[in-house]
Amino acid sequence: MSKSHLIYMPLGGAGEIGMNCYVYGYGPKGKERFIIVDLGVTFPDMDGSPGVDLIFPDISWIADRADRLDGIFITHAHEDHIGALGLLWARLRAPVYCRAFTSIHARRKMEEQGQDASHVKVTSPWPETVQAGPFSVGFLPISHSIPESSGLVIDTPEGRVLHTGDFKLDKTPLVGEAYDPELWASVARSGVKALVCDSTNVFSKHPGRSEASLGDNITALIAQQPGMVLATTFASNVARLRTLAVAGVKAGRTVCLLGRAMQRMVDASERSGVLTDFPATVPVEEARDLPRNSLMLIVTGSQGERRAASAQLARGKYLGMKMKDGDTFLMSSKIIPGNERGVFRIVNAYSEMGVDVIDDNDGLYHVSGHANRPDLLELQNLVNPQIVVPMHGEHRHLREHCKMTEAAGRTSVLAPNGTCISLSFDVPQVVEYVETGRTYLDGSVQIGALDGVVRDRIRMALNGHAVVTLIMDENDDPLGDPWVETMGLPETGRSGSPLTEVLEADLAKAVGRLPDKILTDDAKLDEALRKAIRQSANDEVGRKPEVTVVVSRLS
Amino acid sequence: MSKSHLIYMPLGGAGEIGMNCYVYGYGPKGKERFIIVDLGVTFPDMDGSPGVDLIFPDISWIADRADRLDGIFITHAHEDHIGALGLLWARLRAPVYCRAFTSIHARRKMEEQGQDASHVKVTSPWPETVQAGPFSVGFLPISHSIPESSGLVIDTPEGRVLHTGDFKLDKTPLVGEAYDPELWASVARSGVKALVCDSTNVFSKHPGRSEASLGDNITALIAQQPGMVLATTFASNVARLRTLAVAGVKAGRTVCLLGRAMQRMVDASERSGVLTDFPATVPVEEARDLPRNSLMLIVTGSQGERRAASAQLARGKYLGMKMKDGDTFLMSSKIIPGNERGVFRIVNAYSEMGVDVIDDNDGLYHVSGHANRPDLLELQNLVNPQIVVPMHGEHRHLREHCKMTEAAGRTSVLAPNGTCISLSFDVPQVVEYVETGRTYLDGSVQIGALDGVVRDRIRMALNGHAVVTLIMDENDDPLGDPWVETMGLPETGRSGSPLTEVLEADLAKAVGRLPDKILTDDAKLDEALRKAIRQSANDEVGRKPEVTVVVSRLS
């Protein structure tokens, strides 16, 4: 029997910011027992995944080995760590461990997909641990932008691994546990084999700032505003919701929370006991009747999401509220790269209404939830691991994290999605590369990102679409001329005649020239019609559409 | 006869950064004579304009009055000021005035669209002027990120208007004319009615920096790099191309320019005499044989454009060159909002190759071509206009520019696209709002942005597409069952059977239930088939596709 080894393999999150999914294994090669850390999603965009509902990692590799899976551990309740739990659980069928606040979201995710929520087990923080096969796992509190974020202490027969999850070093996070260097030092004291560490903010050079640095700035800002104040942040950033609400109250405002996701997060925080001192708020029905200059709305939609409250208000009335000249929109958030267009669409709409927009360009009204470069080094020095394994980042983040680590005299390893690393040696070794990828939730169906479905949709968006129908009689002669319908093509082109008429005339000519051996061969006839219509469209409107050919034979 | 008035109306550029087009008019209402300043384009994106080739302003208003148009003035050769000239000239047919370097590009734009390039007239800088109807117009040199950018001195019977074009206050721009405060002060001395002013950088709080501040930083950076250096910037930023090339030579490198647009800009600059001291470069055929650490490539593609040299090199070999571990990619440019995804795709590809990427986060390797907030105030104070009219910006930029101006004690007016402003009073007045919009170059056809063509393409991208064909016999009975073809839909759904088979079975059932009055009515039959397939698809794959129905009647 071959020697046991300890392996680490990211299936998602090490190649993007989003859809985190990491596998740890221990045992003889081919007989390892596994745990999964996080099952997250990432979000589609028009460029690469139009019409897709959600994106998550292709977990085929671990699903094929689900009989050897001993547990699924969720570090925190952000969608990029928990969002795929309900969608993928049926292929994994292992117990799900997380902390109390996270479990409220985990259970909802399970129920929404028709799974039994009792598979979600609430775990108390370190020093409590869960035994999962050869692993003993504890949840080590650390600060982030959602309550009860935790690193994982993963004890293995080959030593201790610290998996940070998403984190920042905030000693005054205001909601949820503070970063406690004593606690982390105590866990690291016996020696840490590997620190598997968040890379999101590796390019941010200054030490991270605390949530506690914002309140006075926001209070002062709100106090100066002549009209209603509308503030937005991520719904899951419960500490920020509290910071905003407290600042509003201090500035003499009545606070109203708008947006279902936001209300749900506050409720979950209160139910799980992590939030006890959220200021009193009023429902929107009461808010409508208050003077504008005494009111503060906190709303969803910091990333320009079209259906969120901030976007609805930018388009007009929402739940009886309306923005006016003299009001203020405070963006207590950063713009995630790629969301700029959507966010600025809203900002410009507010500008047209005469609403002042305050963003975070001055760094006064937002702090990041991730550890910056100096913070990453600080944690490395505290933990003093044998190896640093950067995770959660695009390739450029992982690579920079490695460079920074090695410049500090430590060993690191660059392990993008699908890289199976053995941690059983002083220097980590690549055991194998596994095929990974993305799965799309497309309507109600899960499809592979490379199945060609979305590629066809992109092609129709770029090229338009034409349908050619032709009926062939019992003698394999065309019964009438080909018929054309187009979608997403101009109605007229070069000649000024209706495009469909031009295409039909050209196709009729082309069909008239086709010899019997093509007219009798479905594949060749399809190809000839396709080629003819693409050529005709290119002549007339400068574009070769996607084509569907339907030949009906009356035989 | 009614009193003459002086009007200003943006048709593009005052509501976006891009597609600049401004109209000035003078005369009795309804009989004004006009000039146009700039005819620019903006670029499509997958979110809002998939498959579109170029976007430019809907110029119908001025095209309908082309008999009263006395000239088209192009301030500089950036695409967002000159790009639509050839495409729109046939509807305007007025002489085109610009400076020598700009004229090279203007003539090319005309020729590419089959227009007579001799309509482009080269104009010398101020104090030379062109008489165009009631207007006397001079080109007033100012610095920007392309040679021979000019403001316009527009003298009218009601006084002098200064139209800045795009500009920055750079006294050492290295290529092209410097900002000359004495010159601008001399033009302003007799009094300026209105300063119509670029708003692009109104949110940038620090004074703009000079092109001359970059060279030493870039030289020092290049000197430290162990491998080949690949640098990118906008092809039209001739001064930056020179700064990069000079820095490369100073650092001991042989320089090679890659990318057609870049070579064309350098050629035009040399031909028009604005560039005389560009360092010697080698063609790529020679570059291939040089040691990597002695080579610097300057390439197109600073915005992640898929076909530009930087993107080609990120995908592999390009013109015999290939990036390697230890090489460096220097982005001497900013990322235009909305282009983040494309740029980071390239950065991550380079990261996978082991190429170090240096961006402009530290502000060491790029300066903007636009006047920042303090620079805008400096120019206002120098020119001392009666009225400031912010142009070239999204609504948020224009509004902020107005607020800043008014806070400084001046009069300003917020005039987004389609706002016709009379400048004949001390306080500008809105004369009328004109319907404006966007025109798409779609393949070889110009279509209106709201024609529905692109909307249909977006819908196909989001929902997929299905074709239903049904043949009806001479008795108006279905001849066989409906036939379905899909594109951009999953192959299987809930049931596990092929989707087209499920859809066809459901449609056959639906058709079997249809009464004669529907079977004999084309519109009703179409609607019934459409509704049935959308319902069936929604049940099976959770998505309602776009549908094309083709019913053929053998009668």
Side-chain angles (χ1 to χ4, degrees):
Chain A
M1 181 169 150
S2 78
K3 202 167 151 298
S4 285
H5 66 169
L6 173 64
I7 60 175
Y8 159 83
M9 179 167 60
L11 293 176
E16 58 268 308
I17 293 179
M19 60 172 225
N20 289 275
C21 181
Y22 306 92
V23 173
Y24 291 89
Y26 181 79
K29 194 165 162 46
K31 295 185 175 169
E32 301 89 347
R33 302 295 304 186
F34 300 107
I35 58 172
I36 290 176
V37 177
D38 291 338
L39 278 170
V41 296
T42 191
F43 297 97
D45 60 56
M46 208 39 208
D47 286 306
S49 43
V52 169
D53 293 279
L54 275 177
I55 301 173
F56 37 88
D58 177 355
I59 58 154
S60 302
W61 190 89
I62 187 66
D64 290 345
R65 294 158 178 79
D67 57 322
R68 291 191 268 138
L69 180 64
D70 293 309
I72 300 166
F73 294 82
I74 307 292
T75 58
H76 63 287
H78 275 149
E79 291 295 325
D80 59 336
H81 295 260
I82 199 174
L85 176 63
L87 292 158
L88 296 178
W89 190 84
R91 296 172 63 195
L92 299 169
R93 311 194 71 78
V96 179
Y97 301 100
C98 54
R99 295 185 58 197
F101 172 83
T102 309
S103 76
I104 294 173
H105 304 281
R107 287 183 173 140
R108 183 169 45 81
K109 296 282 176 198
M110 293 287 277
E111 282 162 2
E112 283 172 0
Q113 300 298 326
Q115 306 299 339
D116 180 355
S118 73
H119 294 293
V120 176
K121 318 286 184 194
V122 176
T123 312
S124 296
W126 180 265
E128 179 170 319
T129 60
V130 172
Q131 197 66 37
F135 301 98
S136 162
V137 183
F139 286 80
L140 195 62
I142 195 158
S143 48
H144 182 43
S145 49
I146 190 168
E148 294 194 345
S149 252
S150 300
L152 298 178
V153 183
I154 305 175
D155 281 324
T156 80
E158 300 209 3
R160 177 165 284 184
V161 173
L162 282 186
H163 181 105
T164 65
D166 288 356
F167 75 103
K168 66 182 292 194
L169 304 185
D170 193 340
K171 293 177 185 169
T172 51
L174 303 186
V175 173
E177 294 123 327
Y179 165 57
D180 179 352
E182 282 309 308
L183 176 67
W184 279 70
S186 73
V187 166
R189 202 156 291 139
S190 54
V192 169
K193 179 138 199 104
L195 177 68
V196 181
C197 188
D198 179 11
S199 307
T200 311
N201 276 13
V202 69
F203 288 107
S204 300
K205 295 191 178 166
H206 306 289
R209 291 171 299 134
S210 170
E211 184 68 25
S213 68
L214 300 178
D216 290 349
N217 299 335
I218 298 176
T219 304
L221 178 78
I222 296 171
Q224 289 165 24
Q225 305 310 313
M228 188 167 72
V229 172
L230 183 75
T232 189
T233 189
F234 279 99
S236 58
N237 194 336
V238 178
R240 184 64 46 77
L241 296 181
R242 184 182 166 283
T243 298
L244 289 167
V246 167
V249 169
K250 276 194 187 161
R253 303 264 173 162
T254 302
V255 174
C256 171
L257 289 183
L258 272 191
R260 208 161 40 119
M262 213 158 247
Q263 195 61 58
R264 193 159 62 196
M265 276 289 165
V266 171
D267 289 349
S269 304
E270 290 178 338
R271 261 200 290 159
S272 63
V274 296
L275 183 65
T276 54
D277 57 352
F278 200 83
T281 60
V282 297
V284 66
E285 295 76 17
E286 281 182 43
R288 284 179 209 145
D289 299 329
L290 294 171
R292 303 185 81 73
N293 63 0
S294 74
L295 190 59
M296 175 183 189
L297 304 183
I298 306 179
V299 300
T300 49
S302 67
Q303 299 305 307
E305 302 93 326
R306 288 186 64 79
R307 279 179 285 194
S310 69
Q312 305 254 21
L313 283 165
R315 290 196 291 270
K317 234 172 177 171
Y318 179 61
L319 300 178
M321 304 297 302
K322 197 168 162 40
M323 300 296 284
K324 286 189 180 160
D325 192 3
D327 289 344
T328 300
F329 179 49
L330 168 61
M331 298 167 67
S332 181
S333 51
K334 71 158 200 170
I335 306 177
I336 294 178
N339 293 343
E340 288 79 4
R341 280 194 202 113
V343 171
F344 287 129
R345 193 179 301 130
I346 288 174
V347 169
N348 282 314
Y350 282 138
S351 180
E352 289 181 30
M353 296 176 182
V355 173
D356 282 338
V357 177
I358 314 284
D359 61 25
D360 185 51
N361 280 349
D362 294 322
L364 294 172
Y365 311 118
H366 174 66
V367 294
S368 171
H370 293 271
N372 288 356
R373 195 179 180 89
D375 310 323
L376 296 171
L377 287 170
E378 184 180 330
L379 191 70
Q380 286 184 5
N381 288 334
L382 186 91
V383 168
N384 193 28
Q386 278 178 46
I387 303 165
V388 175
V389 185
M391 63 156 177
H392 203 193
E394 299 169 14
H395 197 284
R396 65 195 176 102
H397 298 95
L398 305 181
R399 183 165 181 272
E400 182 70 17
H401 198 164
C402 282
K403 283 177 71 177
M404 178 193 82
T405 302
E406 281 162 22
R410 296 186 184 278
T411 302
S412 78
V413 59
L414 181 53
N417 293 336
T419 313
C420 183
I421 295 287
S422 168
L423 299 173
S424 296
F425 307 92
D426 288 345
V427 176
Q429 297 187 4
V430 175
V431 178
E432 65 174 315
Y433 291 103
V434 167
E435 199 69 38
T436 56
R438 295 179 163 212
T439 301
Y440 292 157
L441 177 66
D442 195 63
S444 57
V445 184
Q446 294 190 18
I447 59 176
L450 302 178
D451 285 3
V453 173
V454 171
R455 184 199 59 207
D456 282 349
R457 292 211 290 263
I458 292 173
R459 286 184 178 166
M460 288 191 288
L462 294 174
N463 306 324
H465 183 259
V467 180
V468 183
T469 57
L470 178 62
I471 302 176
M472 303 295 283
D473 68 15
E474 293 82 350
N475 304 319
D476 284 325
D477 286 324
L479 186 65
D481 287 331
W483 183 266
V484 173
E485 299 269 352
T486 65
M487 193 174 278
L489 292 174
E491 283 184 20
T492 57
R494 199 166 52 97
S495 70
S497 301
L499 175 61
T500 48
E501 288 179 15
V502 173
L503 297 175
E504 284 170 356
D506 283 354
L507 278 175
K509 269 185 259 167
V511 168
R513 285 193 300 261
L514 292 176
D516 278 354
K517 66 173 179 184
I518 290 184
L519 289 175
T520 54
D521 181 322
D522 280 350
K524 284 185 179 154
L525 180 54
D526 181 299
E527 194 191 322
L529 290 169
R530 194 176 295 272
K531 197 174 158 190
I533 194 172
R534 283 166 62 86
Q535 186 57 52
S536 175
N538 198 39
D539 291 347
E540 186 66 11
V541 296
R543 171 179 295 284
K544 291 183 174 172
E546 302 305 301
V547 180
T548 299
V549 174
V550 182
V551 174
S552 310
R553 292 187 187 272
L554 305 181
S555 51
Chain B
M1 181 170 149
S2 77
K3 203 168 152 291
S4 286
H5 65 168
L6 173 64
I7 61 174
Y8 159 83
M9 180 166 60
L11 293 176
E16 58 267 308
I17 293 180
M19 62 172 225
N20 289 273
C21 181
Y22 306 92
V23 173
Y24 291 90
Y26 182 79
K29 192 162 163 50
K31 294 184 175 171
E32 301 89 346
R33 303 293 304 185
F34 299 107
I35 58 171
I36 290 175
V37 178
D38 291 337
L39 278 170
V41 295
T42 193
F43 297 97
D45 58 57
M46 206 42 206
D47 286 305
S49 44
V52 169
D53 293 278
L54 276 178
I55 300 172
F56 35 89
D58 177 355
I59 58 154
S60 301
W61 191 89
I62 187 67
D64 290 345
R65 294 158 178 80
D67 57 322
R68 291 190 268 139
L69 180 65
D70 292 310
I72 299 165
F73 293 81
I74 306 291
T75 58
H76 63 287
H78 275 150
E79 291 294 325
D80 58 337
H81 294 260
I82 198 175
L85 177 63
L87 291 159
L88 296 178
W89 191 84
R91 297 172 64 195
L92 299 170
R93 311 195 71 77
V96 178
Y97 301 100
C98 55
R99 296 186 58 196
F101 172 82
T102 309
S103 76
I104 294 173
H105 303 281
R107 287 183 173 138
R108 182 167 46 79
K109 295 282 176 197
M110 292 287 277
E111 283 162 0
E112 283 172 359
Q113 299 299 325
Q115 307 299 339
D116 179 356
S118 73
H119 293 293
V120 176
K121 318 287 184 193
V122 175
T123 311
S124 296
W126 181 266
E128 179 170 319
T129 60
V130 172
Q131 197 66 37
F135 300 98
S136 163
V137 183
F139 286 79
L140 195 63
I142 195 156
S143 48
H144 183 43
S145 48
I146 191 169
E148 293 194 346
S149 253
S150 301
L152 298 178
V153 183
I154 305 175
D155 281 325
T156 79
E158 301 209 2
R160 178 165 283 182
V161 173
L162 283 185
H163 181 107
T164 65
D166 287 357
F167 75 103
K168 67 182 290 193
L169 303 185
D170 193 339
K171 293 177 183 170
T172 51
L174 303 184
V175 173
E177 294 123 328
Y179 165 57
D180 180 353
E182 284 307 310
L183 175 65
W184 279 69
S186 73
V187 165
R189 202 156 292 139
S190 54
V192 169
K193 179 140 199 100
L195 177 68
V196 181
C197 188
D198 179 12
S199 307
T200 310
N201 275 14
V202 68
F203 289 107
S204 300
K205 295 191 176 166
H206 305 290
R209 291 171 299 136
S210 170
E211 184 67 25
S213 68
L214 299 179
D216 290 349
N217 299 337
I218 297 176
T219 304
L221 177 78
I222 296 171
Q224 290 165 23
Q225 304 312 312
M228 187 165 74
V229 173
L230 183 76
T232 188
T233 190
F234 279 98
S236 57
N237 194 338
V238 178
R240 184 64 46 77
L241 296 181
R242 183 182 167 283
T243 298
L244 289 167
V246 168
V249 169
K250 276 193 187 161
R253 304 263 174 161
T254 300
V255 174
C256 171
L257 288 184
L258 271 191
R260 210 163 36 121
M262 213 158 246
Q263 196 61 58
R264 192 160 63 195
M265 275 289 162
V266 171
D267 290 349
S269 305
E270 289 178 339
R271 262 199 290 156
S272 64
V274 297
L275 183 65
T276 55
D277 57 351
F278 201 83
T281 61
V282 299
V284 65
E285 296 76 17
E286 279 182 44
R288 282 178 211 145
D289 300 328
L290 294 171
R292 302 185 81 72
N293 63 0
S294 74
L295 189 59
M296 176 182 187
L297 305 183
I298 305 179
V299 301
T300 50
S302 66
Q303 299 306 306
E305 303 94 325
R306 288 187 65 80
R307 279 178 284 194
S310 69
Q312 305 253 21
L313 283 165
R315 289 194 291 269
K317 235 174 178 171
Y318 179 61
L319 299 178
M321 302 299 299
K322 198 169 161 38
M323 299 296 285
K324 285 189 179 159
D325 193 4
D327 289 345
T328 301
F329 179 50
L330 169 61
M331 298 166 68
S332 180
S333 51
K334 71 156 199 169
I335 306 176
I336 293 178
N339 293 342
E340 289 79 3
R341 282 197 201 110
V343 171
F344 287 128
R345 194 179 301 130
I346 289 174
V347 169
N348 282 315
Y350 283 138
S351 180
E352 289 182 30
M353 295 174 182
V355 173
D356 282 337
V357 177
I358 314 283
D359 61 24
D360 185 50
N361 279 349
D362 294 322
L364 294 171
Y365 311 118
H366 173 67
V367 294
S368 172
H370 293 271
N372 288 357
R373 193 177 183 90
D375 310 322
L376 295 171
L377 287 170
E378 183 180 330
L379 192 70
Q380 287 184 5
N381 288 333
L382 186 91
V383 167
N384 194 27
Q386 278 178 46
I387 303 165
V388 175
V389 186
M391 62 159 178
H392 204 194
E394 300 168 14
H395 197 283
R396 64 194 176 103
H397 297 95
L398 305 181
R399 182 164 182 273
E400 183 70 16
H401 199 163
C402 282
K403 283 177 71 177
M404 178 193 81
T405 302
E406 282 163 21
R410 296 186 183 278
T411 303
S412 78
V413 59
L414 181 54
N417 293 336
T419 313
C420 183
I421 295 286
S422 168
L423 299 173
S424 296
F425 307 93
D426 288 346
V427 176
Q429 298 186 0
V430 175
V431 178
E432 64 174 317
Y433 292 102
V434 167
E435 199 68 37
T436 56
R438 295 180 163 211
T439 302
Y440 291 158
L441 177 66
D442 194 64
S444 56
V445 184
Q446 294 188 18
I447 59 175
L450 302 179
D451 285 4
V453 173
V454 172
R455 184 199 58 206
D456 282 349
R457 292 211 292 263
I458 292 173
R459 286 183 180 167
M460 288 190 288
L462 293 175
N463 305 326
H465 184 260
V467 180
V468 183
T469 58
L470 178 62
I471 302 175
M472 302 295 282
D473 67 15
E474 293 83 349
N475 305 319
D476 284 325
D477 286 323
L479 188 65
D481 287 331
W483 183 266
V484 173
E485 298 269 351
T486 66
M487 192 174 278
L489 292 175
E491 284 185 20
T492 57
R494 198 166 52 96
S495 70
S497 301
L499 174 62
T500 49
E501 288 180 16
V502 173
L503 297 175
E504 284 170 356
D506 283 352
L507 278 174
K509 268 184 261 167
V511 168
R513 284 193 300 262
L514 292 176
D516 278 355
K517 67 174 182 186
I518 290 185
L519 290 173
T520 53
D521 181 323
D522 280 351
K524 284 185 181 154
L525 181 54
D526 182 298
E527 194 191 322
L529 291 168
R530 193 176 294 273
K531 196 173 157 191
I533 195 173
R534 283 166 62 86
Q535 186 56 51
S536 174
N538 197 40
D539 290 346
E540 186 66 12
V541 296
R543 174 178 293 282
K544 291 181 174 175
E546 301 304 300
V547 180
T548 299
V549 175
V550 181
V551 174
S552 310
R553 290 187 188 272
L554 305 181
S555 53

